[in-house]
DNA sequence: ACATCATATGCCTTTTGGTGCATATGAGTT
DNA sequence: AACTCATATGCACCAAAAGGCATATGATGT
């Protein structure tokens, strides 16, 4: 199905904010589901902001959540929408220069995850 | 060159507003440069808004302008940025359902252009 | 049952973005 | 030079989005 104008705008808006774009970028590049507290540490953003931005991304249909005990894990929603695929292709080539610290913290986080 | 986070956000923001997205969509689908007064008629938006949105799109690097007499023509800026190419691919498949009236008016306009 | 940890959310303030109107600029026309 | 047409822009206003803080919810552990 081809996306409507309004739907496209929802997606573009969702991606027009630094924290949100960083979240999407990280989830795409780390290729792993990540829980809220991990994102908080990695991005060094307050808890309520991370929560809210995750909600916006979910509502836009870009993320999905899975509750596991007291944690909520978020991951990139699989899609067969051609439109979203193009958008994801675009996001995937955003430079990681602005993100070196976050990447380091994230890799560290993922390594030291308790099993 | 890979786009920075901030640059990507500029692009996403530029595309997060109906009038602006319609302008881009039209320019891509009509495959012709269009001047401001034509866009005003086609979109039925006030002059000052069209002007302003065109400016925002230009500043974001999505459009280019050429002055011809008292008219200013706008057209999609050619790019070899991989990022922008993906974005354009996405925009190109937005449904034209919301745009039927605009398309008709636009085709009419282009046909009746004085030479 | 109580305390704690992880996450979400309501309310309020601040910031950002869009619109309307009036006016400015600048080119073409008389 | 005065007038009109096409476009741009400054200012004031309103609406939407983001952020801060406090509190709520809901699961886990004692």
């Amino acid at each position: 199905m081809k996306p409507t104008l309004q739907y496209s705008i929802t997606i573009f808006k969702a991606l027009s904010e630094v924290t949100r774009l960083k979240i999407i970028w990280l989830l795409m590049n780390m290729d792993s589901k990540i829980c809220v507290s991990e994102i908080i540490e990695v991005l060094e953003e307050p808890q309520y902001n991370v929560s809210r931005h995750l909600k916006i991304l979910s509502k836009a249909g870009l993320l999905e959540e899975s509750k596991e005990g007291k944690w909520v894990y978020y991951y990139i929603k699989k899609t067969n929408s051609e439109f979203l695929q193009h958008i994801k292709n675009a996001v995937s080539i955003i430079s990681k220069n602005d993100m070196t610290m976050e990447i380091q913290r994230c890799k560290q986080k993922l390594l030291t995850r308790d099993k």
Side-chain angles (χ1 to χ4, degrees), chain A:
Chain A
M1 259 306 273
K2 283 168 182 279
T4 63
L5 271 174
Q6 280 309 327
Y7 170 77
S8 319
I9 288 177
T10 306
I11 301 299
F12 289 133
K13 276 211 179 120
L15 299 171
S16 324
E17 202 275 339
V18 212
T19 306
R20 289 199 293 267
L21 192 52
K22 282 185 178 177
I23 291 174
I24 294 285
W25 191 96
L26 267 182
L27 283 170
M28 288 184 61
N29 283 273
M30 290 297 135
D31 199 39
S32 159
K33 60 183 182 182
I34 307 184
C35 77
V36 185
S37 41
E38 286 168 338
I39 301 179
I40 292 167
E41 270 194 68
V42 167
L43 299 187
E44 294 183 325
E45 274 289 313
Q47 180 268 322
Y48 47 83
N49 267 341
V50 172
S51 259
R52 274 199 281 238
H53 287 310
L54 284 168
K55 181 113 198 216
I56 293 172
L57 291 169
S58 291
K59 275 201 170 173
L62 293 168
L63 298 185
E64 267 182 328
E65 7 177 326
S66 74
K67 278 196 95 141
E68 301 188 12
K70 44 180 178 173
W71 293 278
V72 180
Y73 285 86
Y74 284 86
Y75 52 93
I76 301 281
K77 183 170 178 177
K78 293 258 176 293
T79 179
N80 44 28
S81 144
E82 203 187 339
F83 177 81
L84 285 185
Q85 202 45 61
H86 287 308
I87 298 294
K88 286 183 186 174
N89 290 341
V91 172
S92 73
I93 59 176
I94 295 176
S95 161
K96 61 182 176 193
N97 288 348
D98 309 333
M99 294 284 288
T100 35
M101 282 295 109
E102 284 87 346
I103 295 167
Q104 279 179 34
R105 285 195 293 266
C106 198
K107 287 189 171 158
Q108 199 55 29
K109 251 305 90 213
L110 294 183
L111 279 175
T112 61
R113 244 183 207 169
D114 303 327
K115 288 286 153 273

